[in-house]
Amino acid sequence: MSSSKTECQFAVRFKGKSALVCGAGGGIGLATANQLLATGIDVALADIKDQPADIANGPGQATYYQGDLSDEAFVSQLAADVAAAQGGIDYLVNTTGVLWFDRDRSVLEMDMDTWDQVFQINLKSFALSVRHVAAHMRARGGGAMVHIASIDALRGDGKPQDAYGAAKAGVIRLSKSLAIQLAPDAIRSNTILPGPVRSPMQARWADDPEALAALSAHIPLGRVGSTEDIAGACLFLLSDAAAFITGTELIVDGGCTARP
Ligand SMILES: NC(=O)c1ccc[n+]([C@@H]2O[C@H](COP(=O)([O-])OP(=O)(O)OC[C@H]3O[C@@H](n4cnc5c(N)ncnc54)[C@H](O)[C@@H]3O)[C@@H](O)[C@H]2O)c1
């Protein structure tokens, strides 16, 4: 095979497409939206936060939608508005999430209202976006979605965030089910399981040099992840380079889960 053919085969292709990134006001979501904009496609960014200042300036067109992604009325209107504004929706990224160390604890002792809220935001919001975006992908003849879970879904913990971990495990199962249900429509669904990533969610260690160094020493690649690391994996799974990948998980953790 010639090198030019190899380049062509593995090129990441998005041209002329439209994406919706949920949870795009934050670290991983914003980095993913910015990398998608850099490929030239139009990107709708949705989040409950005010619009961030550092949305990339094209070449794709960015539009920011502010609202609660666990509210079905907002999500339904969002999907319709994005499809109308961008001529359809080809790609969906679900990164919306909360990690409440102060309140999300062992299920043996935590307030179950917190459990419900975490599930609403970390799992139901993903289900809602898929419910309202799938028809727009079908209308385009196919599409791809990536859902951000966590390596926390794979193991137990003596000092847990039980709602967070259980909701993230639910994301993995939901994505597999969607992959089967939507395969006949040429829509792919995959999950990324990040390890520790320096983002606003992890301010408790990300902004503390000692804690950051201690955590980095535990990671085989010797550092915590960046939001760009996760965004890059996300673009791969969305792109045509991953055309035969659906219903699976990609662990992006610098080797954390590989070590004993
Ligand atoms: N940072 C890490 O170490 C790490 C590790 C594993 C998984 N993750 C997952 O990656 C995803 C992105 O996290 P991040 O690290 O970029 O953190 P982040 O806090 O920067 O991003 C999460 C975003 O979700 C938004 N959000 C929360 N509730 C919402 C709601 N009801 N409606 C709309 N938007 C809402 C927040 O405003 C925020 O912008 C999350 O699902 C998180 O669980 C992060």
Side-chain angles (χ1 to χ4, degrees):
M1 189 184 287
S2 73
S3 64
S4 64
K5 192 164 180 196
T6 306
E7 274 167 30
C8 175
Q9 187 177 348
F10 293 106
V12 176
R13 292 181 290 270
F14 296 101
K15 203 165 165 42
K17 306 272 187 165
S18 153
L20 168 60
V21 181
C22 293
I28 291 169
L30 181 58
T32 303
N34 283 344
Q35 286 196 16
L36 286 168
L37 286 165
T39 73
I41 73 171
D42 293 340
V43 181
L45 301 88
D47 202 291
I48 204 163
K49 280 184 188 165
D50 290 344
Q51 179 169 337
D54 42 355
I55 297 176
N57 185 21
Q61 172 85 39
T63 312
Y64 196 78
Y65 297 84
Q66 188 173 14
D68 182 352
L69 288 159
S70 67
D71 171 5
E72 184 156 16
F74 172 72
V75 177
S76 148
Q77 190 62 53
L78 171 72
D81 290 351
V82 172
Q86 296 182 176
I89 303 175
D90 305 284
Y91 303 114
L92 171 66
V93 181
N94 277 318
T95 71
T96 309
V98 288
L99 178 52
W100 289 329
F101 280 94
D102 53 337
R103 286 175 281 157
D104 182 358
R105 294 176 179 276
S106 163
V107 76
L108 301 176
E109 63 190 36
M110 68 188 280
D111 178 343
M112 292 310 281
D113 287 344
T114 299
W115 173 276
D116 289 343
Q117 285 169 29
V118 171
F119 267 74
Q120 291 268 332
I121 297 167
N122 289 11
L123 182 57
K124 186 180 174 192
S125 78
F126 288 31
L128 290 177
S129 62
V130 172
R131 252 164 94 83
H132 292 284
V133 164
H136 297 292
M137 287 187 178
R138 279 195 196 103
R140 299 276 275 187
M145 44 185 78
V146 171
H147 317 284
I148 307 296
S150 168
I151 59 170
D152 198 41
L154 301 178
R155 56 196 181 189
D157 192 339
K159 292 185 179 166
Q161 278 68 53
D162 271 339
Y164 181 87
K168 290 300 190 185
V171 168
I172 296 172
R173 170 58 176 76
L174 177 64
S175 176
K176 284 189 190 296
S177 181
L178 291 168
I180 297 167
Q181 294 173 55
L182 296 173
D185 299 310
I187 299 169
R188 297 182 296 104
S189 174
N190 290 295
T191 304
I192 291 176
L193 279 59
V197 172
R198 206 168 172 174
S199 79
M201 180 178 275
Q202 301 288 22
R204 76 196 187 291
W205 52 256
D207 300 338
D208 173 347
E210 268 182 38
L212 188 59
L215 183 57
S216 300
H218 265 289
I219 299 173
L221 284 180
R223 64 173 177 87
V224 301
S226 67
T227 56
E228 302 298 332
D229 289 325
I230 310 304
C234 190
L235 260 69
F236 162 67
L237 285 174
L238 290 177
S239 77
D240 292 349
F244 200 51
I245 300 177
T246 196
T248 195
E249 296 80 57
L250 181 57
I251 294 176
V252 185
D253 70 348
C256 279
T257 47
R259 74 183 306 162

